[in-house]
Amino acid sequence: MLDTITRVRLSLMMFLEFFVWGAWFVTLGTYLAVELGASGSQISLAFLTQSLGAIIAPFIVGLIADRFFPAQRILGVLHLFSAAMLFLAGRQEGFGSFFIFALLAMVSFMPTLALANSISFRRMENPERQFPSVRIFGTIGWIIAGLLIGWLGWEAAETLSHTFVMAAIGSALLGFYAFTLPHTPPEATDGPATVRDILGLDALALLKTRSYLVFFISSILICIPLAFYYNFTNLYLNEIGVERAAAVQSIGQMSEALFLLAMPLMLRKLGIKRTIVVGMLAWALRYVLFGFGDSGAMMWMVIIGLVLHGVCYDFFFVAGQIYTDRFAPAKVRSAAQGLISLATYGAGLLIGALVSGPLVDMFLQSDGTHDWRSIWLIPAAFAVLVTIFFVGLFREEQTADVRG
C-alpha cells in the first residue's frame, strides 16, 4: 500500500506541477491577442512551444531518468530553469522575444510531466487504483490557478503578464521541493548504456505491437482537435462575453477532478478500449455544444461543454497513461511515458496548432470577433473520424515484448 506520508508528498508534487501549467497556459491566447496584438496564427505558434517541448521530452527522460540520474533531481533542475524562463517571458513587449523565452520554458517543462508520473508510479503497488487519487491534486492545482486569475481580475484589467510571475514562483517552489521527493533512481540494467538506450529505442519498440501502434496513432490524431480547445477556448469565452473567463473555464478542471475519482471503477467496468472511446466521443460533443452555445440563453451549452473536459481528459489521457504503464516493461516505463507525451502534447498538438491558427483567422469577422460556430464544428467532425478509426483497429493487450 502507498503510505500516507508518501501519498501527501506525491500529491503536493502533482499540485505544483499543474498549478504552474495552468497559471499561464489557460489565458495565453487572450494575453497574446489583447496585450501583444497577436494574430490567430501567432497564437498557435506560441502554443507550438508545448509541442516542441513534448517532442524533446522522450529523449530527455529516456536518456536521463531511465538510465543515468534519479528522476526527482532532473525534475528539480528542469523546474528551476523553467521558472527563470517564464519570468522573462512575461517581461517581453514583442511576440518574437516572447516566443523565444516561452519555447525555452516549455522545452524544460514538458519532460517534467513524464517524470512526475514516473516518480508516482514507482511508489505504487497498484497504479490503476492509487494513481488517480494522487493525480487529482494536479487538477486541483490547475483549478486554483484559474480561480486566482479570475479573482484577481487580470483578464478584465488586461494585466495577464502577472500570470507569468505566478507561474514562475510555482515552478521555482517545485524545483526546490523536487530535491526532497522520494529517491527514484534508474531501473537496474544488465550492462553499459548503448545508443539504443540513449535514444529510447526500446520504448519505440512498443510500436511493433499493433494495439499500441493504433493507440499511439489515435493519440496523435485526437490531439489535433484538442489544440482548438487549448489554444482558443479562453479567447472564445472572452469574445462571447463570459465574465472572468479563466475562472469559468476552471469548471473543466473541477469536472476532471470528479471523473478522475471515477477512473478505477470505469476501467474495471469498461476496460481500456471503451473508456478511451467514451473520452473521444466527449471531444466531439463538447465542440458541438460550444458551436451552438452563447453567453445568454444558451450558456448552459457552454457550461456542459466545459464540464465534458473531465471526460475528455481523464478517459483518454489518464487512461492512456495507466495503459502505457501496464503495457511497457519496467526498464522502459519512464521512456514510454515520454513517448506517449510525444504523441499527444508533441506531434498531435503541433499539427493541431498549425491547423487551428490559420483556420481561426479564416473565420475572423469585420468586428474583430470570430465565427465560432463554424470553427468548433470542424474539430467536432474530426474527433468522430478518429473515434471510428480507433474502434475499428484497437485490440486491448496487456503487455509488450520489446526485446528487439
Side-chain angles (χ1 to χ4, degrees), residues 110-127:
M110 290 307 292
T112 67
L113 295 171
L115 288 168
N117 287 342
S118 181
I119 291 168
S120 298
F121 287 140
R122 288 277 294 278
R123 294 288 156 180
M124 296 174 181
E125 296 177 2
N126 190 336

Side-chain angles (χ1 to χ4, degrees), residues 15-25 79 86 109 167 170-171 174:
F15 177 91
L16 290 171
E17 179 77 19
F18 284 84
F19 176 88
V20 170
W21 200 1
W24 70 285
F25 214 62
H79 265 293
L86 285 168
F109 174 80
S171 189
L174 180 51

Side-chain angles (χ1 to χ4, degrees), residues 48-131:
L48 276 180
T49 60
Q50 172 183 254
S51 302
L52 294 173
I55 289 170
I56 294 170
F59 301 101
I60 294 177
V61 176
L63 170 60
I64 299 174
D66 270 341
R67 194 76 201 193
F68 297 114
F69 300 106
Q72 82 279 2
R73 293 180 189 171
I74 306 307
L75 182 72
V77 170
L78 290 175
H79 265 293
L80 290 174
F81 180 79
S82 183
M85 296 302 101
L86 285 168
F87 180 81
L88 292 172
R91 306 273 71 76
Q92 306 309 306
E93 297 181 357
F95 179 80
S97 57
F98 169 85
F99 177 82
I100 293 172
F101 286 109
L103 176 60
L104 291 172
M106 277 311 232
V107 166
S108 54
F109 174 80
M110 290 307 292
T112 67
L113 295 171
L115 288 168
N117 287 342
S118 181
I119 291 168
S120 298
F121 287 140
R122 288 277 294 278
R123 294 288 156 180
M124 296 174 181
E125 296 177 2
N126 190 336
E128 290 188 29
R129 289 193 299 106
Q130 297 169 333
F131 182 66

Side-chain angles (χ1 to χ4, degrees), residues 131-319:
F131 182 66
S133 65
V134 170
R135 173 59 180 79
I136 195 173
F137 283 90
T139 301
I140 293 171
W142 188 293
I143 292 170
I144 295 299
L147 292 177
L148 278 174
I149 293 169
W151 177 65
L152 293 168
W154 288 343
E155 289 166 292
E158 297 185 4
T159 55
L160 286 173
S161 59
H162 295 334
T163 62
F164 294 92
V165 178
M166 183 167 69
I169 292 172
S171 189
L173 287 174
L174 180 51
F176 289 115
Y177 175 66
F179 291 99
T180 73
L181 288 169
H183 186 54
T184 310
E187 294 279 3
T189 57
D190 297 329
T194 65
V195 173
R196 183 185 187 89
D197 298 321
I198 292 173
L199 296 180
L201 296 183
D202 279 339
L204 291 177
L206 294 173
L207 304 181
K208 292 178 180 179
T209 306
R210 171 179 157 171
S211 62
Y212 203 81
L213 177 62
V214 171
F215 170 68
F216 183 82
I217 294 172
S218 298
S219 297
I220 294 173
L221 295 177
I222 200 63
C223 284
I224 295 174
L226 174 61
F228 286 78
Y229 181 84
Y230 278 165
N231 297 12
F232 294 104
T233 298
N234 189 255
L235 181 61
Y236 156 72
L237 293 175
N238 278 290
E239 280 195 7
I240 67 174
V242 176
E243 295 184 2
R244 301 183 185 276
V248 173
Q249 199 171 341
S250 68
I251 292 172
Q253 277 64 48
M254 296 177 190
S255 164
E256 181 185 324
L258 292 174
F259 283 106
L260 193 58
L261 294 175
M263 278 297 298
L265 176 63
M266 295 300 297
L267 289 172
R268 286 199 304 270
K269 296 293 185 182
L270 299 180
I272 288 290
K273 181 174 183 177
R274 283 182 288 183
T275 299
I276 291 175
V277 168
V278 170
M280 288 179 168
L281 291 175
W283 244 290
L285 178 58
R286 171 172 65 184
Y287 291 135
V288 170
L289 290 168
F290 279 0
F292 289 92
D294 57 43
S295 60
M298 295 293 106
M299 184 63 187
W300 64 271
M301 300 183 78
V302 176
I303 297 299
I304 293 176
L306 292 172
V307 169
L308 281 173
H309 178 72
V311 181
C312 297
Y313 190 91
D314 293 338
F315 287 25
F316 185 83
F317 278 91
V318 179

